[in-house]
Amino acid sequence: MYEDTVPDLSRRNYSGQVTIMDDYAGSVIRKLEEKGMFEDTLIIFCSDNGGDVLKSASNWPYRGDKGSYFEGGIKSAAFVAGKGIVKTHYRSNKMYHIADMFPTLVESVAGGSINHEIDGINIWESLSTGSVSPRNKFLITVDEDIPEDTTVAAIRSGPFKLIEGYPAFRKGLKTFGWYRASVNGFEDTTSPIPDPLTTQKYLFHLPSDPYEEVNLAFNPRFKFVVTYLSNQLEEYRKHSKPALWPEPDMNSDPQLARNHGFWSPGWC
């Protein structure tokens, strides 16, 4: 597949995987139509994070790589279509978080209730009608348990995003630029990155700077914004719990017959 149009093997494989996923999605849609179920189906499709640029993905025009906390690493494409969606055929730039899908589906789609405190917000009204999102901020990460791996905290609040520390989940990751998709594989076309790798604080005003080209963290005009968001991160730190890193369990070895060739159980 794509042998004549995509010279780079990694990019060719990636393109083939996307095509096959698209074909399988189409098969599901056709089967729903065949069974008379399509008109009663709500379809939600989303990614979990940005693509890995070193493995031929591209998050262009957004900045960064999978594993970074720039928009290219955390902003994901998604769509919702089908039963219950009133406003259709438009592109939304509203703020949602993946944690919002749980209460939305339980409460507004399934008609259930949630009786304990959770991070997600029911966003069904906004999703289905295009009205204003009830979400205006979210914690991106507080990852400070293992300093040799990384020390980073990040938050989005209103139009601003603050990153404190190394802007990725591990210090070995250094792809913090802007990378176009290329049939020739990974091409580092970023020169220069506006912030050195030693920068420990980033503030972006995303409505005016969606591609994170201007770091406002050291601009005196935005000192109060940095202070405000830093204080919010400090509140999250007070309530955060250490990450759980269990010891390896060889019972999950895929070579064991009962595991049928897969690592199990796993987090993903």
Side-chain angles (χ1 to χ4, degrees), residues 157-171:
S157 183
F160 290 101
K161 180 169 78 173
L162 177 72
I163 306 173
E164 294 183 341
Y166 196 79
F169 80 104
R170 57 181 174 82
K171 292 180 179 177

Side-chain angles (χ1 to χ4, degrees), residues 25-235:
S27 297
V28 173
I29 297 299
R30 287 190 293 273
K31 183 58 69 173
L32 288 169
E33 292 173 335
E34 178 186 317
K35 297 295 184 180
M37 300 168 63
F38 181 73
E39 297 300 325
D40 292 320
T41 298
L42 176 67
I43 299 171
I44 301 171
F45 189 96
C46 67
S47 176
D48 54 349
N49 44 247
D52 187 337
V53 301
L54 296 179
K55 295 183 179 178
S56 298
S58 173
N59 304 309
W60 178 271
Y62 296 102
R63 179 178 181 178
D65 190 5
K66 173 183 177 179
S68 79
Y69 296 112
F70 296 109
E71 291 296 274
I74 63 173
K75 186 181 180 74
S76 295
F79 71 81
V80 181
K83 181 76 171 182
I85 301 301
V86 178
K87 184 178 180 180
T88 62
H89 299 89
Y90 78 103
R91 178 178 177 178
S92 173
N93 288 313
K94 299 178 178 66
M95 186 189 298
Y96 302 127
H97 191 281
I98 188 62
D100 299 333
M101 295 313 302
F102 175 66
T104 300
L105 294 175
V106 170
E107 295 175 345
S108 292
V109 178
S113 61
I114 299 172
N115 301 316
H116 56 279
E117 184 177 353
I118 60 173
D119 294 322
I121 300 172
N122 187 336
I123 57 172
W124 178 250
E125 185 69 20
S126 180
L127 278 183
S128 60
T129 68
S131 60
V132 175
S133 171
R135 178 173 289 285
N136 57 23
K137 72 173 183 178
F138 58 87
L139 176 69
I140 298 172
T141 189
V142 174
D143 189 357
E144 301 170 331
D145 293 342
I146 308 177
E148 57 268 28
D149 284 348
T150 194
T151 301
V152 59
I155 188 172
R156 171 76 187 273
S157 183
F160 290 101
K161 180 169 78 173
L162 177 72
I163 306 173
E164 294 183 341
Y166 196 79
F169 80 104
R170 57 181 174 82
K171 292 180 179 177
L173 191 138
K174 295 181 172 62
T175 38
F176 298 148
W178 298 261
Y179 310 99
R180 293 179 180 271
S182 171
V183 295
N184 297 312
F186 175 69
E187 294 180 355
D188 190 348
T189 55
T190 299
S191 179
I193 294 176
D195 308 293
L197 294 177
T198 54
T199 299
Q200 291 294 298
K201 190 165 289 187
Y202 302 81
L203 177 71
F204 300 107
H205 184 265
L206 294 178
S208 63
D209 181 26
Y211 310 137
E212 299 171 303
E213 297 175 297
V214 181
N215 184 2
L216 302 172
F218 305 102
N219 185 325
R221 291 179 53 205
F222 295 92
K223 183 178 179 180
F224 73 100
V225 178
V226 173
T227 300
Y228 173 73
L229 295 181
S230 292
N231 289 339
Q232 289 196 33
L233 282 174
E234 192 56 40
E235 288 300 310

